């Protein structure tokens, strides 16, 4: 993309931190545990270097805020914060790919395309970002790849880690300090499904106001989140939510 390299201030996050990649195809993984495969490191410095060359500095700062927000929200809900962190760091890899390239990569990977994807290929940047994460950085954990794919449109049945990354992208501090965003941030600590529902409906209201097209998957995500929110219960400030 030709963007110049930028110095990155990672705050409390260490550039040398190795976030885990889970390779489900590794047969030796079953030797250590029956519940989780082997964790393999992701070279965070390599990812940051690639991002510095392929996204503008403003977007890179957004990515780092999403990563940090995802970590905090996952930890609050006792979820796998390392998976959330990895997906947050990698979620916008394809953000600045040209429409033609997005469509070519999606078709080459045999992704199922909706007519809306042809009309607005930018919506594919999440799905294509998962392809880049796999091919460029060797990410092979199904939940991390799914969270990258789901961060824009969501997906019915997505895991709570996907919900966390979906929300982190929408409400990281750089998005603003409006009353609506602050209410969403509070809601995300009470009930992830209700926060996903609120995010979907806020997005749709904005699209309705602009007479914009709505991707069918976004509507499906909204309907799924509504059902999950109705089924889940909030106990105090920190509900117990079952993973999907």
């Amino acid at each position: 993309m030709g963007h110049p390299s930028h110095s990155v201030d990672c705050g409390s996050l260490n550039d040398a931190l190795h976030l885990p990649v889970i390779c489900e195809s590794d047969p030796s993984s079953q030797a250590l545990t029956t519940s989780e495969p082997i964790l393999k490191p992701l070279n965070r410095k390599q990812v940051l270097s690639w991002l510095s060359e392929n996204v503008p500095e403003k977007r890179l700062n957004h990515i780092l805020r999403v990563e940090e927000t995802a970590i905090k929200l996952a930890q609050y809900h006792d979820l796998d914060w390392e998976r959330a962190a990895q997906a947050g760091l990698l979620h916008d890899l394809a953000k600045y790919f040209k429409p033609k390239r997005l469509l070519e990569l999606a078709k080459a990977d045999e992704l199922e395309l909706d007519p809306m994807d042809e009309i607005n290929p930018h919506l594919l940047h999440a799905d294509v970002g998962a392809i880049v994460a796999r091919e460029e950085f060797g990410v092979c954990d199904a939940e991390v790849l799914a969270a990258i794919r789901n961060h824009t449109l969501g997906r019915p049945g997505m895991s709570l880690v996907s919900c966390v990354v979906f929300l982190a992208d929408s409400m990281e501090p750089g998005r603003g300090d409006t009353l609506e965003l602050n209410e969403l941030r509070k809601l995300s600590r009470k009930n992830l499904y209700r926060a996903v529902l609120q995010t979907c409906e806020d997005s749709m209201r904005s699209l309705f106001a602009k007479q914009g097209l709505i991707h069918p998957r976004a509507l499906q995500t909204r309907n799924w989140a509504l059902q999950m929110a109705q089924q889940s219960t909030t106990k105090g400030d920190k509900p117990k939510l079952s993973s999907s």
Side-chain angles (χ1 to χ4, degrees), residues 114 116 123 203-205 207-208 212-219:
D114 185 271
M116 275 289 297
L123 293 173
S203 176
M204 288 181 185
R205 273 192 289 270
L207 288 169
F208 286 145
L213 296 172
I214 296 177
H215 196 290
R217 203 170 97 200
L219 181 58

Side-chain angles (χ1 to χ4, degrees), residues 12-102:
S12 61
L13 296 172
N14 189 334
D15 283 357
L17 175 65
H18 290 293
L19 300 179
V21 177
I22 300 179
C23 292
E24 297 179 326
S25 60
D26 188 342
S28 65
S29 64
Q30 299 304 316
L32 293 183
T33 174
T34 58
S35 59
E36 291 188 10
I38 287 178
L39 299 180
K40 292 188 177 181
L42 173 68
N43 189 324
R44 190 165 182 273
K45 281 187 175 180
Q46 180 188 8
V47 175
L48 290 172
S49 176
W50 188 96
L51 286 168
S52 294
E53 295 294 333
N54 288 277
V55 305
E57 184 175 11
K58 183 177 180 180
R59 177 57 51 171
L60 179 53
N61 289 332
H62 159 76
I63 289 169
L64 293 174
R65 290 192 299 267
V66 170
E67 179 190 31
E68 186 173 6
T69 301
I71 289 171
K72 291 178 179 178
L73 189 57
Q75 288 176 331
Y76 183 83
H77 286 290
D78 297 322
L79 299 173
D80 191 328
W81 67 267
E82 291 171 312
R83 281 188 172 99
Q86 191 176 113
L89 182 64
L90 300 169
H91 81 281
D92 266 350
L93 292 174
K95 182 72 175 181
Y96 290 90
F97 285 12
K98 299 293 186 183
K100 182 180 178 182
R101 187 179 182 191
L102 289 169

Side-chain angles (χ1 to χ4, degrees), residues 35-222:
S35 59
E36 291 188 10
I38 287 178
L39 299 180
K40 292 188 177 181
L42 173 68
N43 189 324
R44 190 165 182 273
K45 281 187 175 180
Q46 180 188 8
V47 175
L48 290 172
S49 176
W50 188 96
L51 286 168
S52 294
E53 295 294 333
N54 288 277
V55 305
E57 184 175 11
K58 183 177 180 180
R59 177 57 51 171
L60 179 53
N61 289 332
H62 159 76
I63 289 169
L64 293 174
R65 290 192 299 267
V66 170
E67 179 190 31
E68 186 173 6
T69 301
I71 289 171
K72 291 178 179 178
L73 189 57
Q75 288 176 331
Y76 183 83
H77 286 290
D78 297 322
L79 299 173
D80 191 328
W81 67 267
E82 291 171 312
R83 281 188 172 99
Q86 191 176 113
L89 182 64
L90 300 169
H91 81 281
D92 266 350
L93 292 174
K95 182 72 175 181
Y96 290 90
F97 285 12
K98 299 293 186 183
K100 182 180 178 182
R101 187 179 182 191
L102 289 169
L103 285 168
E104 287 175 347
L105 289 171
K107 291 175 180 178
D109 209 59
E110 299 183 345
L111 296 184
E112 184 177 347
L113 300 183
D114 185 271
M116 275 289 297
D117 298 320
E118 302 276 357
I119 296 171
N120 185 6
H122 178 71
L123 293 173
L124 287 169
H125 83 271
D127 293 273
V128 172
I131 297 172
V132 177
R134 185 188 71 211
E135 299 299 324
E136 188 76 23
F137 302 110
V139 177
C140 51
D141 174 53
E143 190 166 21
V144 170
L145 292 173
I148 297 169
R149 284 193 296 268
N150 298 336
H151 84 266
T152 299
L153 298 173
R155 187 180 300 273
M158 64 181 176
S159 74
L160 291 178
V161 169
S162 280
C163 290
V164 162
V165 178
F166 178 87
L167 291 168
D169 184 42
S170 299
M171 66 181 198
E172 56 91 352
R175 293 296 194 186
D177 194 36
T178 64
L179 176 63
E180 292 78 11
L181 274 172
N182 286 328
E183 287 300 317
L184 177 63
R185 289 166 183 140
K186 291 178 183 177
L187 184 59
S188 72
R189 293 170 70 85
K190 293 180 179 179
N191 190 296
L192 290 173
Y193 296 124
R194 292 178 187 174
V196 169
L197 174 63
Q198 186 65 53
T199 301
C200 291
E201 294 189 341
D202 288 346
S203 176
M204 288 181 185
R205 273 192 289 270
S206 176
L207 288 169
F208 286 145
K210 295 184 291 187
Q211 294 188 318
L213 296 172
I214 296 177
H215 196 290
R217 203 170 97 200
L219 181 58
Q220 292 164 2
T221 300
R222 180 266 175 192

